[in-house]
Amino acid sequence: MNEDPTQAVADTPRPARKRISLPDPEAAAAARPGWKTIVGAYVSLTKPRIVELLLITTIPAMLVAARMEFDALPSLTAVLATLIGGALAAGSANAINCYIDRDIDQLMARTSRRPLAKHQIEPRNALVFGLVIGAVAVLGMGLLVNWLAALLTFGAIVYYDVVYTIWLKRTTPYNTVWGGACGAAPVLIGWAAVTGHMSWMAWILFAVVFLWQPPHFYVLAMKFKDDYAAAGIPMLPVVAPAKRVAVESVVYGWAMLAVSLIAVPLGATWLYGTVAVVAGGMFVWECHKLLGRVNRGEDPKPMRLFHWSTSYLTLLFLALAVDSFLM
């Protein structure tokens, strides 16, 4: 008996249709970060803690400049404009730095939580944000303060992002040393904001911060040596023995202490001199203790020096601010 071909086709089981699930608008909205998260991510791009540390050196420099040059206090307008402009400029440099370093930030545990590493912000948006607030900072400094301060602000941003981040950081273990120029720039910017020119005292204070930075960042790099190695960044603790790092920290510590005392014959009083000797001496002592632990093969405990270095800079420039009223 012949089978009916139409019946055979009808009896053939049909493949089950795949269900296409449309996205749930409510679920998609819930998955999107809220405005507070987005704002927090943009603030995080600016690295607020670093901005705060930079501004610690700006106000005392302005106070000393005004007292030494004019025997007066700096104008409130100049102070506010410089602080806001300085914060925006530092935030700009840091945001652009995050954009440039987004490839290596994902490889390091210390930086893996930054907004671009977590894909909270589009890289292009981060770059535009950094450029915009940088332009506002430079133009604001020029229009509200003076153009020397604006030029120094622009130079600090370019130096940090182009010279340090793109070139030095990825090519030489002395990136920390030469990169210190942009970290010490707020002293010069604050001085220029008040006087419109430079002086020997301004350059001495610049040199103090410049010499302070290698030990400060060396020990941080010691702590996160494996991170930098994984990212291929030739920080000194990655490419050199721990003893060399500790020895250089001692050398820079002594140089910093010596240079800080030059401010006394230039006009600083006994108060600043006392704090410079005591706090600077403790800083150098911590450098020697780091070297001692390394020589004995012990845990170097680098963060001890790191935390004290931050306290040292705060104490020294706080003393400088108070000292300006005694000049």
Side-chain angles (χ1 to χ4, degrees):
M1 183 176 177
N2 294 331
E3 294 183 355
D4 181 357
T6 59
Q7 183 66 33
V9 172
D11 292 341
T12 302
R14 296 179 180 179
R17 292 183 179 179
K18 293 182 179 180
R19 281 187 180 177
I20 301 175
S21 56
L22 297 174
D24 182 359
E26 294 184 1
R32 286 195 296 266
W35 68 269
K36 289 185 179 179
T37 302
I38 295 173
V39 170
Y42 276 101
V43 171
S44 180
L45 275 179
T46 66
K47 305 178 187 176
R49 290 185 179 179
I50 295 178
V51 173
E52 179 185 352
L53 188 61
L54 293 175
L55 294 181
I56 284 174
T57 63
T58 305
I59 296 178
M62 296 182 74
L63 289 171
V64 172
R67 295 288 290 180
M68 292 187 69
E69 296 282 341
F70 310 115
D71 194 22
L73 293 175
S75 72
L76 183 59
T77 301
V79 171
L80 290 177
T82 303
L83 289 181
I84 295 172
L88 289 174
S92 165
N94 289 330
I96 297 170
N97 167 268
C98 287
Y99 170 80
I100 297 168
D101 278 351
R102 65 190 186 281
D103 59 333
I104 61 174
D105 281 349
Q106 299 180 74
L107 304 176
M108 301 193 293
R110 185 175 68 89
T111 58
S112 61
R113 296 182 62 82
R114 288 179 178 170
L116 290 181
K118 294 173 64 178
H119 307 288
Q120 292 179 317
I121 299 174
E122 290 294 326
R124 179 179 178 277
N125 295 344
L127 177 61
V128 170
F129 171 71
L131 292 173
V132 168
I133 64 174
V136 170
V138 173
L139 288 175
M141 291 286 279
L143 296 173
L144 299 175
V145 185
N146 61 58
W147 289 105
L148 175 58
L151 180 62
L152 290 169
T153 300
F154 176 74
I157 296 173
V158 172
Y159 191 98
Y160 182 68
D161 288 321
V162 177
V163 178
Y164 172 72
T165 304
I166 294 178
W167 177 34
L168 295 173
K169 184 175 182 178
R170 301 184 184 225
T171 59
T172 172
Y174 286 100
N175 49 26
T176 298
V177 177
W178 298 114
C182 45
V187 174
L188 300 182
I189 294 169
W191 196 280
V194 173
T195 67
H197 62 264
M198 293 291 104
S199 74
W200 279 110
M201 179 66 92
W203 287 111
I204 289 301
L205 297 177
F206 171 88
V208 170
V209 182
F210 181 83
L211 293 168
W212 164 86
Q213 286 192 107
H216 175 74
F217 283 105
Y218 278 168
V219 289
L220 186 66
M222 287 181 76
K223 172 70 174 178
F224 297 102
K225 179 176 69 173
D226 293 340
D227 266 5
Y228 286 112
I233 303 300
M235 303 298 283
L236 187 64
V238 173
V239 301
K243 182 173 182 178
R244 177 177 166 185
V245 178
V247 167
E248 288 201 16
S249 296
V250 169
V251 172
Y252 281 112
W254 276 107
M256 178 204 72
L257 173 58
V259 170
S260 71
L261 297 178
I262 299 176
V264 176
L266 290 179
T269 73
W270 62 269
L271 175 63
Y272 167 86
T274 301
V275 174
V277 169
V278 175
M282 293 179 67
F283 185 102
V284 171
W285 177 240
E286 281 295 334
C287 292
H288 279 281
K289 288 171 69 175
L290 172 71
L291 177 59
R293 288 191 292 269
V294 169
N295 284 335
R296 293 190 297 271
E298 301 173 0
D299 178 0
K301 299 177 181 177
M303 297 308 285
R304 287 188 179 183
L305 177 55
F306 177 81
H307 292 307
W308 174 247
S309 66
T310 303
S311 299
Y312 163 80
L313 196 69
T314 303
L315 288 172
L316 186 74
F317 277 83
L318 178 60
L320 190 68
V322 175
D323 197 63
S324 66
F325 293 96
L326 304 178
M327 291 179 176

